Each structure stands twice: as C-alpha cells, then as structure tokens.
Amino acid sequence: MSRIGKKEILIPENTEIKINQNSILIKGIKGELKYDFSNLIKVERIENKLKLTKKHETQKTQEIYGLSRSIINNMVIGISKGFRKKLIIQGVGYRAQMEKENLILNVGYSHPIYIKPPKDIKIDVENNVNIIITGINKETVGQIAATIRSKRPPEPYKGKGIRYEYEVVRRKVGKAGK
C-alpha cells in the first residue's frame, strides 16, 4: 500500500491557494489551476504546507487519498515551474513546423498532419526535428506529447518516427539476405 498521501505539499513563494469544501484553486506565477477532489478526503493548509487527511479508512479512500495528493502536488509544481516534454523526429524527409498556433508534421504520409494545441499549451519547433511542449498542467502536456508521438511512433527496424527525448527504441535485425 502506497504512503504517498501522507507526504505534505510545500507551497512555494508567490502562490495563492483557496480551499472551498471540495475544490482547491491554486494561483501562481505561470497561471491558475482548479481541482475538485472527493468528499472522502480533507485538504487543509498549515502555514506554507498543504496536508491531506482521510475521513474514512476504506480501500477506495486510500486510493483517492494518494491520487489527490499527487494531482495537487503536480498543480503546485506546474504553476511555479511548469512542465516540459521534448520529442525528436528521426527519418529522411521527416520534419515539423509551426504555422501560427498549429503544428504541421510531415512524417512520410501523402498529406501533412495538423495538430491544434489547447490554449494553455505552448509548442516550439527547433531545427525542424525537435518539438518542445510546455504548459502548467502535467496531464495535458503529456497527452499532447502522446498524441503527437502516436502520429508516427518509432519503428524497430530503422528507428524512424517520433520519439521522446530519452526514449530508447530497441532495434531488430532485418531479414537475412542469401
């Protein structure tokens, strides 16, 4: 059983937190985020820390306890530092470019792929092959990165495709010639 819910969340400087009955609003340097948590847990502020407590001792409460703590902690990190994912495109003729707010991918199909990011996500393209996704919400940054990667995942024979920055693609040996 995880004990992650017992950890306190440190609140950085210049951060404003409002706790209503079952919702929390966190405002910081980069923006603001809101989360509606379950009524099975209680969130309270003690000086410059947030502490979560369980109202009951059930399996469901324990699950939500750790989950809520992780989500609130990610919100605090997001509004103070932000989140970033980097994707790398490999392959001859594969490239990416920005047109206004839209990302255009040319990754071996007969047509370009257009991806429109949500309002709170910023996408940058470096050298036509590096895509950097930044934002304050960890979930949406990861989801946009996964969506972009899913358009052409790396294949195991030549390694062509879109991969995460530190992803290792296990290569296979091609067919043996006679």
Side-chain angles (χ1 to χ4, degrees), residues 132-145:
I132 298 167
I133 303 147
T134 55
I136 60 172
N137 191 335
K138 186 175 186 176
E139 183 181 0
T140 54
V141 169
Q143 185 60 53
I144 292 296

Side-chain angles (χ1 to χ4, degrees), residues 162-178:
I162 302 172
R163 67 181 74 198
Y164 293 109
E165 183 177 19
Y166 297 111
E167 182 179 5
V168 176
V169 177
R170 293 189 60 200
R171 303 288 294 273
K172 291 181 180 178
V173 179
K175 64 180 186 179
K178 287 190 176 183

Side-chain angles (χ1 to χ4, degrees), residues 30-48:
K30 302 229 179 214
E32 68 176 57
L33 292 171
K34 184 178 187 229
Y35 175 61
D36 296 325
F37 52 87
S38 172
N39 58 359
L40 298 174
I41 62 165
K42 181 177 151 190
V43 179
E44 54 192 356
R45 183 178 182 160
I46 303 167
E47 295 171 21
N48 65 340

Side-chain angles (χ1 to χ4, degrees), residues 31-162:
E32 68 176 57
L33 292 171
K34 184 178 187 229
Y35 175 61
D36 296 325
F37 52 87
S38 172
N39 58 359
L40 298 174
I41 62 165
K42 181 177 151 190
V43 179
E44 54 192 356
R45 183 178 182 160
I46 303 167
E47 295 171 21
N48 65 340
K49 295 178 183 175
L50 284 176
K51 183 157 177 58
L52 278 74
T53 53
K54 297 181 277 187
K55 291 183 179 176
H56 308 289
E57 289 294 329
T58 62
Q59 181 67 34
K60 185 70 173 171
T61 306
Q62 182 66 29
E63 294 166 3
I64 292 176
Y65 182 51
L67 173 71
S68 298
R69 192 260 177 210
S70 294
I71 291 172
I72 293 170
N73 189 45
N74 287 338
M75 289 169 58
V76 170
I77 293 168
I79 57 101
S80 60
K81 298 176 189 171
F83 291 101
R84 176 182 178 275
K85 290 252 185 190
K86 185 174 181 182
L87 297 170
I88 298 169
I89 300 175
Q90 282 190 336
V92 177
Y94 288 12
R95 63 189 177 92
Q97 63 190 36
M98 292 298 294
E99 183 178 286
K100 296 179 184 169
E101 295 294 314
N102 296 331
L103 175 69
I104 302 172
L105 297 171
N106 294 313
V107 286
Y109 298 117
S110 61
H111 59 284
I113 298 170
Y114 295 91
I115 296 175
K116 182 171 174 43
K119 294 176 186 173
D120 59 337
I121 299 294
K122 185 174 184 282
I123 298 178
D124 293 320
V125 177
E126 296 176 348
N127 303 332
N128 292 331
V129 292
N130 296 332
I131 303 168
I132 298 167
I133 303 147
T134 55
I136 60 172
N137 191 335
K138 186 175 186 176
E139 183 181 0
T140 54
V141 169
Q143 185 60 53
I144 292 296
T147 302
I148 293 170
R149 183 184 179 278
S150 71
K151 300 304 177 190
R152 180 66 87 171
E155 53 98 11
Y157 295 102
K158 292 185 179 178
K160 298 186 336 180
I162 302 172

